């Protein structure tokens, strides 16, 4: 089990995650890929990472735009697992030429 992060810890770590924002007890990002196949590849790449971590994001895909929501449901909020997965998602997006939308 991971412990819940404090508000200060969350805000500090979000400073290293410019693609991500806090939304209550979750962190969220909207990422736009260059095209639909690349958007699906991003989801597929992250699926492998998430499976390896045993920690899975909520994902909504609309054409080439994906919406990501991370929270550790078993703990009722944000843990270090969410921060780590956010970093991995952002790194995968950068490798594929995808970027924050908005």
């Amino acid at each position: 089990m991971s412990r819940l992060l404090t508000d200060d810890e969350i805000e500090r770590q979000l400073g290293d995650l410019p693609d991500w924002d806090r939304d209550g007890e979750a962190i969220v990002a909207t990422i736009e890929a260059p095209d639909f196949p690349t958007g699906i590849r991003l989801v597929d790449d992250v699926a492998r990472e998430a499976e390896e971590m045993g920690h899975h994001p909520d994902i909504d895909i609309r054409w080439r735009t994906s919406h990501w929501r991370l929270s550790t449901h078993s703990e009722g909020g944000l843990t270090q697992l969410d921060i780590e997965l956010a970093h991995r998602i952002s790194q995968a997006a950068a490798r594929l030429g995808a970027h924050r939308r908005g």
Side-chain angles (χ1 to χ4, degrees):
M1 283 190 172
S2 294
R3 72 169 179 80
L4 289 174
L5 297 174
T6 67
D7 288 338
D8 288 342
E9 289 171 323
I10 294 165
E11 292 308 312
R12 182 176 47 78
Q13 293 195 59
L14 281 176
D16 295 330
L17 290 163
D19 295 339
W20 294 83
D21 296 304
R22 187 167 184 187
D23 182 20
E25 297 305 314
I27 54 175
V28 297
T30 298
I31 299 173
E32 189 170 293
D35 52 38
F36 183 69
T38 304
I40 296 303
R41 196 170 18 236
L42 172 61
V43 171
D44 188 48
D45 288 353
V46 171
R48 288 187 193 103
E49 295 274 349
E51 195 66 16
E52 179 183 294
M53 292 176 67
H55 191 63
H56 305 91
D58 293 332
I59 310 166
D60 179 51
I61 306 164
R62 308 288 175 168
W63 184 39
R64 62 184 184 151
T65 302
S66 55
H67 305 277
W68 303 81
R69 184 175 191 83
L70 303 178
S71 183
T72 304
H73 303 292
S74 62
E75 297 301 318
L78 291 162
T79 69
Q80 196 60 40
L81 286 171
D82 302 303
I83 301 298
E84 175 60 28
L85 186 53
H87 278 288
R88 293 184 186 200
I89 293 167
S90 292
Q91 290 164 357
R95 280 192 307 273
L96 293 170
H99 57 85
R100 178 184 176 136
R101 182 173 181 194

